[in-house]
Amino acid sequence: MRAVVVEPSGQVSVESRPDPVLPGPDGAIVKVEAASICGSDLHFLEGHYPITEPVSVGHEAVGTVVEIGPDVTGFAAGDRVLVSSVAGCGHCAGCATHDPIRCVQGPQIFGTGFLGGAQAELLAVPAADFQLLKMPEGITTEQALLLTDNLATGWAAAKRADIPVGGSVAVIGLGAVGMCALCSALTLGAAKVFAVDPVEARRERAAASGATTFAPPSAQAIREATGGLGVDSVIDAVGMDASINDAIDAVRAGGTVSIVGVHDLQPYPMPALACLLRSLTIRLTTAPVQQTWPELIPLLQAGRLDVDGIFTTTLSLDDAAEGYAAAFSRSGEHLKVQLKP
């Protein structure tokens, strides 16, 4: 099969790799129809997560089941499915909460060197009854891809931000996760939304959704716009030192900062005393993907949650290097890239 591979040097290529085999009696093989590039995939290119050998990448996929193990009960060959980006064993007390992050054996993410990458023609999926979801009626391929990770992450970020109905929120970082968080915040009842990004075209996209936009650093401007108080909640979809600092400075006393941006491996020098004196709540979240599906799918089906337009670029799998270059540009033109095997 063909698969997208990132070299330790950061070079992206498409290689021929052996077809995957069933990862156990409860596993499945999925023929990938569409995959997408996530902002966290770019950390391999940037060297934030050093690798010593080529890695088959990607953790967002929609496809068709072509083979199942004898213990799989909920799926059959021919079923069109989406795959949770985060995998659990599917059998423990943690997975019983439908949050793979709580898996007692430890969660795994596709395309990080432990499980195969989703940017490929075929994907081996362990614990298929837990990891897979049959394609819901009325859900587009693009919406399904977002449900595997970015929308689940943005939704979890917004819920964990404690946004009061009619309250205010700032979203820092307007990539795909940030835009999903912004859309989620509006759906959850935020009345005043501020959106922060250095790229003008991305700010324009957020403004079209009703947000007031600023370039970073934004804390002073947000405080001025809120009468000196700051916002009730901040969602940080960047996760670097500068954005976390901006988030802490922009939130009001007693407010909540919800961080879903992926930090590098260096420690963050948290201003603990200042956070304590201001009674801040700070949460860092990896999406409980399966847990979000019962909430998000009806909202998408009813048109109450609008994420159209987040995918801006569709390329063949063979053009993955071009796709990664587009994603790496972090421009307004290329917000989210889809790859089609």
Side-chain angles (χ1 to χ4, degrees), residues 234-262:
V234 181
I235 299 169
D236 178 7
V238 179
M240 305 306 287
D241 288 7
S243 63
I244 298 173
N245 290 341
D246 206 22
I248 290 173
D249 290 343
V251 75
R252 67 182 57 186
T256 298
V257 174
S258 177
I259 302 169
V260 289
V262 180

Side-chain angles (χ1 to χ4, degrees), residues 196-269:
V196 182
D197 198 279
V199 179
E200 183 178 0
R202 291 190 173 192
R203 296 198 301 270
E204 291 173 352
R205 187 185 300 273
S209 297
T212 301
T213 65
F214 299 107
S218 60
Q220 182 176 347
I222 289 172
R223 286 193 169 277
E224 290 174 355
T226 55
L229 285 174
V231 285
D232 297 305
S233 311
V234 181
I235 299 169
D236 178 7
V238 179
M240 305 306 287
D241 288 7
S243 63
I244 298 173
N245 290 341
D246 206 22
I248 290 173
D249 290 343
V251 75
R252 67 182 57 186
T256 298
V257 174
S258 177
I259 302 169
V260 289
V262 180
H263 198 274
D264 59 25
L265 295 177
Q266 300 303 312
Y268 169 65

Side-chain angles (χ1 to χ4, degrees), residues 12 24 28 47 63 85 106 121 134 155 272 310 321 323:
V12 177
S85 58
E121 291 181 299
K134 290 182 182 178
W155 179 255
I310 288 179

Side-chain angles (χ1 to χ4, degrees), residues 92-115:
C92 68
C95 289
T97 69
H98 301 287
D99 180 359
I101 293 300
R102 302 185 190 186
C103 179
V104 173
Q105 297 183 25
Q108 294 184 325
I109 300 174
F110 289 95
T112 57
F114 299 101
L115 298 178

